[in-house]
Amino acid sequence: MREFFPGIEKVKYEGPNSRNPLAFKHYNPNQKILGKTMAEHLRFSVCFWHTFKGLGGDPFGPGTMIRPWNKSDDPMEVAEMTLRAAFEFFTKLGVGFWCFHDLDIAPEADTLAETNKRFDEMVKLAKKLQRDTGVRLLWGTSNLFSNRRFMSGAATNPSPEVFAYAASQVKRAMDATKALGGAGYVFWGGREGYETLLNTDMGRELDHLGRFLNMAVDYKKKIGFKGQFYIEPKPKEPTKHQYDFDAGSCHAFLQKYGLMDQFKLNIEANHGTLATHTFHHELVYAAANGLFGSVDANRGDLLLGWDTDQFPTDLYDTTMAMCVILQAGGFKTGGLNFDAKVRRQSIDPVDLFHAHIGGMDAFARGLKAAAKIIQGKKFEKFIKQRYSGWDRGLGQKIEKGRVGFQQLEAYTLKNGEPKIQSGRQEMLENILNEYIR
Ligand code: XUL
Ligand code: CO
C-alpha cells in the first residue's frame, strides 16, 4: 500500500518532558480523568476539507502546497488517493473521528446523476477504510456554497429550482452519513444570508430555510438515520450577513420553526469571535438552552477580521471550553472537530501533524485544568454564594412566581437600600491563573 506520509510513525504520548515535536506531551488517550479516558472526553476529529483539500490559496494568490495525493490528471484517482492519505493520517495521528462535505471526497460532475455515481463510489471506499482502521464519522455535511448555482443561497435562494437542487444534495449526503454510521449531520448555512436587502425578501427566505430543515427532519425519520442534527452558527462570510448568526439567533430560529427537539448546535470558536462573542460565551449560551452538541475547534486572530481558522493553542480558551463541556455532561454524539487549517507558509505534509498535535495537546491541557477547576469547586462555590439570595425568602418568592410588582414595592419601602457585594473579578482571574500551567 502506498504511503503518503513516509517517515512519520504513529504519534505517541511521551509526557510533558518530551522534546520530540512529533509526540504528545499532554494528550494521553487512555489516561482517565473524572471517570472517562481522555479519548472518550475529547472525541477528536480531523476535517477533510482544510486538511486534505486545502492548499493554502488566499484572495491574493493560489495554493502553495504540493501534495502527493494530488498527483494525477484523473479527478477520481485524486479523490481515491486523497481518501487513502486521509485515513493514513487519521491512523498515524490517533484520532477516532473524521468529518467531510459530500464534494470534498468526490469531485462534482456535469449532472447530478453523474455526481451521485462518483460520490457513491467514494463512499464505498470510505466505508472500507473506516472498517480497516476503526476511525468513525463524527458528522457528514453537504457543500451548498461553492458551485455558482448557490451564489444567492441554497435553501434561501430566490429560485425554487436551486432549493430543489440543494435538497437533492442534502438527501444524498444524509444517505451517505447514515451508510457510514455517522454520529451526526451538520447544517452550516454557507450562503444562507444576503449581500443587500435591496434585493432580498428576508422573511420569505427565513421561512424557506425553516421549511428546508423540516424536510430534512422528515427525511431523517424516513430513512431511520439516528444521528444528531446540528446547526453551525456563523455571523458573516461568505455573505455579509448570515441568518444563522450566532447561538442566540439559531435558538430563536429553531423555536420559531418548531425544530428545538431535533437540533443541537455545532459551536465553532472562530465563528463565535466573528460574532463579537467569545467561544466561551457561545458554549455557555448553547449549554444553558439545551443546545450544546458539538464543537469546531479552531481560533481566530485578534488583528484580522475574518475566519482565519487557525489551530487552537490558547490554553484559556481550551480550559474554559472544557469546563463548559464537562459541566454540560460531556459530548454525547459530538466531539472536537479541528475545522482549522495550517498557514499558507506551512507547506509540508508534516506541518499537518504539528498543527493537530498542538491542538490536541492544547485541549488535553484544557481538560486536565478543567477537571481540577471542577473538583476544586472554588468558582462553583463563589457563584453559588453570589446567587444565594435566590435560594431563600424573597428570592424564592420571586422565582416561584408568588409575588408581583406591588409586593416588591412594599418590600423595598420596608427594607430600604439593598446590600451589594463585590464581583471579585480580579481575585477570580488570579485563581484561574493558578490552574493554567
Ligand atoms: C465554514 C465552516 C464549515 C462548516 C461545515 O466557516 O466552518 O466548514 O464547518 O460546512
Ligand atoms: Co466549521
Side-chain angles (χ1 to χ4, degrees):
M1 185 64 67
R2 172 162 178 202
E3 245 193 324
F4 292 94
F5 300 94
I8 299 179
E9 304 292 316
K10 185 160 172 30
V11 180
K12 290 203 278 294
Y13 170 72
E14 292 185 2
N17 296 326
S18 165
R19 291 288 163 266
N20 175 3
L22 289 175
F24 295 117
K25 320 285 184 303
H26 298 275
Y27 178 58
N28 185 7
N30 297 321
Q31 183 182 332
K32 282 214 166 162
I33 292 185
L34 300 180
K36 281 205 284 191
T37 66
M38 281 193 162
E40 287 164 344
H41 275 295
L42 298 165
R43 291 170 63 87
F44 287 126
S45 157
V46 169
C47 88
F48 200 88
W49 50 102
H50 289 313
T51 300
F52 302 103
K53 301 302 288 178
L55 298 174
D58 72 10
F60 299 92
T64 50
M65 299 159 196
I66 298 162
R67 301 300 196 205
W69 50 87
N70 282 336
K71 282 196 181 133
S72 166
D73 293 331
D74 172 0
M76 281 305 275
E77 198 187 341
V78 167
E80 180 180 336
M81 286 194 290
T82 311
L83 205 53
R84 289 188 185 280
F87 277 80
E88 182 187 329
F89 182 80
F90 306 151
T91 312
K92 287 186 167 171
L93 185 63
V95 289
F97 298 93
W98 68 302
C99 292
F100 73 103
H101 299 85
D102 48 359
L103 301 177
D104 298 337
I105 64 165
E108 192 158 20
D110 290 340
T111 64
L112 179 67
E114 186 55 31
T115 306
N116 290 353
K117 239 172 72 195
R118 288 180 170 189
F119 184 61
D120 289 347
E121 208 178 303
M122 296 316 296
V123 170
K124 225 160 91 191
L125 176 61
K127 202 167 175 177
K128 177 190 173 317
L129 293 169
Q130 286 195 161
R131 216 178 20 239
D132 292 350
T133 59
V135 175
R136 290 179 287 159
L137 180 63
L138 190 69
W139 47 260
T141 188
S142 182
N143 179 331
L144 304 176
F145 43 87
S146 295
N147 192 291
R148 67 192 286 278
R149 82 176 72 85
F150 297 123
M151 66 179 186
S152 313
T156 64
N157 198 288
S159 151
E161 279 82 19
V162 177
F163 182 105
Y165 207 106
S168 319
Q169 250 185 257
V170 170
K171 174 183 174 293
R172 178 183 72 202
M174 279 173 63
D175 287 340
T177 303
K178 180 179 181 241
L180 292 169
Y185 188 91
V186 163
F187 293 85
W188 168 61
R191 290 185 195 273
E192 312 295 23
Y194 62 83
E195 294 303 323
T196 172
L197 291 171
L198 295 175
N199 64 14
T200 302
D201 186 340
M202 191 198 291
R204 202 160 186 183
E205 290 198 357
L206 285 166
D207 286 348
H208 294 164
L209 187 55
R211 187 88 289 283
F212 192 89
L213 296 181
N214 271 287
M215 285 181 185
V217 169
D218 291 344
Y219 188 66
K220 178 182 191 229
K221 289 182 185 152
K222 192 174 158 56
I223 62 173
F225 172 52
K226 298 278 180 281
Q228 175 65 51
F229 272 178
Y230 310 99
I231 292 191
E232 182 177 318
K234 185 174 185 181
K236 56 187 171 191
E237 214 192 301
T239 70
K240 174 174 101 168
H241 188 291
Q242 302 266 139
Y243 293 135
D244 42 17
F245 196 93
D246 61 359
S249 37
C250 289
H251 184 204
F253 176 89
L254 291 172
Q255 290 180 87
K256 176 168 182 198
Y257 294 100
L259 293 164
M260 271 300 279
D261 55 342
Q262 297 293 336
F263 281 81
K264 301 240 184 274
L265 298 180
N266 180 39
I267 299 294
E268 178 161 328
N270 200 174
H271 295 179
T273 53
L274 282 178
T276 64
H277 301 305
T278 58
F279 179 30
H280 189 194
H281 167 98
E282 288 292 85
L283 289 170
V284 171
Y285 185 90
N289 290 287
L291 287 171
F292 169 69
S294 199
V295 167
D296 269 8
N298 62 13
R299 84 186 138 102
D301 186 290
L302 194 60
L303 305 182
L304 302 174
W306 62 89
D307 196 14
T308 59
D309 284 334
Q310 283 159 256
F311 276 82
T313 53
D314 185 313
L315 301 182
Y316 285 93
D317 267 359
T318 59
T319 301
M320 298 325 292
M322 289 316 301
C323 277
V324 185
I325 293 166
L326 290 177
Q327 274 157 346
F331 288 119
K332 308 243 158 27
T333 51
L336 289 167
N337 172 50
F338 290 110
D339 190 353
K341 57 189 180 203
V342 291
R343 298 304 87 191
R344 195 165 186 268
Q345 298 177 53
S346 304
I347 55 174
D348 295 334
V350 70
D351 290 310
L352 297 172
F353 280 92
H354 292 306
H356 285 85
I357 289 170
M360 290 163 81
D361 265 348
F363 268 96
R365 290 175 77 171
L367 169 63
K368 288 193 271 189
K372 287 197 183 120
I373 288 171
I374 288 170
Q375 281 173 321
K377 290 190 190 293
K378 288 191 180 146
F379 297 97
E380 188 191 321
K381 278 189 191 149
F382 184 87
I383 291 173
K384 183 141 183 46
Q385 171 59 28
R386 190 164 187 238
Y387 290 81
S388 61
W390 295 93
D391 297 332
R392 52 178 188 259
L394 177 69
Q396 276 291 288
K397 282 190 195 143
I398 298 173
E399 278 194 354
K400 299 228 156 88
R402 294 207 192 107
V403 286
F405 276 8
Q406 281 165 307
Q407 291 91 330
L408 294 179
E409 184 198 41
Y411 180 93
T412 306
L413 287 170
K414 183 169 163 226
N415 290 282
E417 195 56 31
K419 274 208 257 352
I420 56 171
Q421 51 181 333
S422 168
R424 294 270 188 274
Q425 181 169 335
E426 295 75 12
M427 180 193 82
L428 295 168
E429 285 168 347
N430 296 348
I431 294 175
L432 178 61
N433 262 2
E434 290 300 310
Y435 285 103
I436 297 179
R437 291 165 196 270

